[in-house]
Amino acid sequence: MIGLITGQVQYLVAPTACIMTTSGVGYDVELPLPSFCQLQLNQQASIWTHFHVREDAQLLFGFIDRKERDVFRQLIKINGVGAKMALAMLSAMSAAELKMHVEQDSETALMRIPGIGKKTAQRLLIELKDKLKNIEVDDSSVEFSSQSVIVSHEGSIIAEVEGALISLGYKEKEAQQAIKAAKSNGDIFKDTQGLLKATLQQLSGF
């Protein structure tokens, strides 16, 4: 029904949602972390969307990259994988990384995603092989952009990253430890996307 929205980013709602306005209408859109981090407040953007209808809600999911949306749509076709889990998967790793892990039968990599246990990971590897093989994904299209939202105060950056990780299913202590590990080499992060990327790498073990 709604496949693409081009408009202004009116609000950024932590941790991974935004309101896009176009032609006088505001759309509430949920995004995976990599897409969210490429948005800039009060700037124009184009978001590929998936309109998801449930008995109790109508939801709009958005993606900066169209092929990332294609992967999302393949994920939600799998029995037991809802839209929220699919979004969490594409927040924990890029579409290209997910495809790579599926091709390599990397059960361990999928189990690092909150909510995915051994049996679910095994089933995902089997079912995704055919679903993803014809989707070409480019890592550069889903990497965190240097033009992400700038947050001036480091405390605010840490709070936003911690909140985003908790929303994905990580425990508070686990999120705090990962943030601490990401900052352990003395790096100073001036924006949310930089610390978020480093923290996700700590959690994924890459």
Side-chain angles (χ1 to χ4, degrees):
M1 180 180 179
I2 302 173
L4 176 68
I5 297 175
T6 297
Q8 181 170 292
V9 181
Q10 194 72 33
Y11 297 100
L12 290 171
V13 186
T16 58
C18 76
I19 294 180
M20 294 277 294
T21 56
T22 180
S23 302
V25 179
Y27 295 91
D28 193 343
V29 187
E30 295 187 51
L31 309 99
L33 286 172
S35 290
F36 177 80
C37 285
Q38 292 187 58
L39 298 179
Q40 288 183 279
L41 190 62
N42 298 323
Q43 297 297 312
Q44 291 287 309
S46 291
I47 296 179
W48 295 91
T49 58
H50 174 81
F51 185 57
H52 190 74
V53 179
R54 299 190 324 218
E55 290 184 1
D56 60 341
Q58 296 183 20
L59 305 172
L60 199 60
F61 296 96
F63 309 87
I64 293 296
D65 182 70
R66 180 177 59 82
K67 291 179 180 178
E68 187 179 26
R69 184 189 65 176
D70 293 343
V71 172
F72 174 85
R73 286 176 167 173
Q74 293 301 320
L75 287 171
I76 61 176
K77 290 179 181 179
I78 298 174
N79 185 37
V81 178
K84 293 292 186 180
M85 179 179 285
L87 205 67
M89 292 174 69
L90 291 173
S91 292
M93 62 181 66
S94 70
E97 288 170 336
L98 176 60
K99 184 177 181 180
M100 177 189 70
H101 292 314
V102 170
E103 291 173 345
Q104 296 177 350
D105 288 315
S106 183
E107 177 184 309
T108 302
L110 296 187
M111 288 174 62
R112 294 192 183 107
I113 301 171
I116 296 182
K118 185 178 182 66
K119 290 184 178 179
T120 302
Q122 291 173 340
R123 182 162 54 82
L124 285 169
L125 289 175
I126 294 171
E127 297 195 37
L128 285 174
K129 278 195 181 297
D130 288 336
K131 293 182 183 298
L132 298 185
K133 68 180 180 181
N134 294 323
I135 298 179
E136 295 183 5
V137 289
D138 180 5
D139 235 350
S140 63
S141 67
V142 289
E143 287 182 351
F144 293 90
S145 168
S146 61
Q147 299 300 316
S148 300
V149 181
I150 303 300
V151 183
S152 59
H153 192 270
E154 188 176 12
S156 297
I157 296 173
I158 293 172
E160 288 190 10
V161 171
E162 183 177 328
L165 295 173
I166 291 172
S167 75
L168 289 172
Y170 293 102
K171 295 180 180 178
E172 182 178 355
K173 185 176 181 180
E174 189 178 15
Q176 291 172 347
Q177 289 176 339
I179 292 171
K180 183 177 180 180
K183 291 170 54 63
S184 62
N185 60 359
D187 288 343
I188 298 175
F189 297 94
K190 296 182 179 180
D191 53 34
T192 303
Q193 60 90 11
L195 179 58
L196 184 57
K197 182 176 181 179
T199 304
L200 286 171
Q201 288 174 341
Q202 291 290 329
L203 288 165
S204 64
F206 302 130

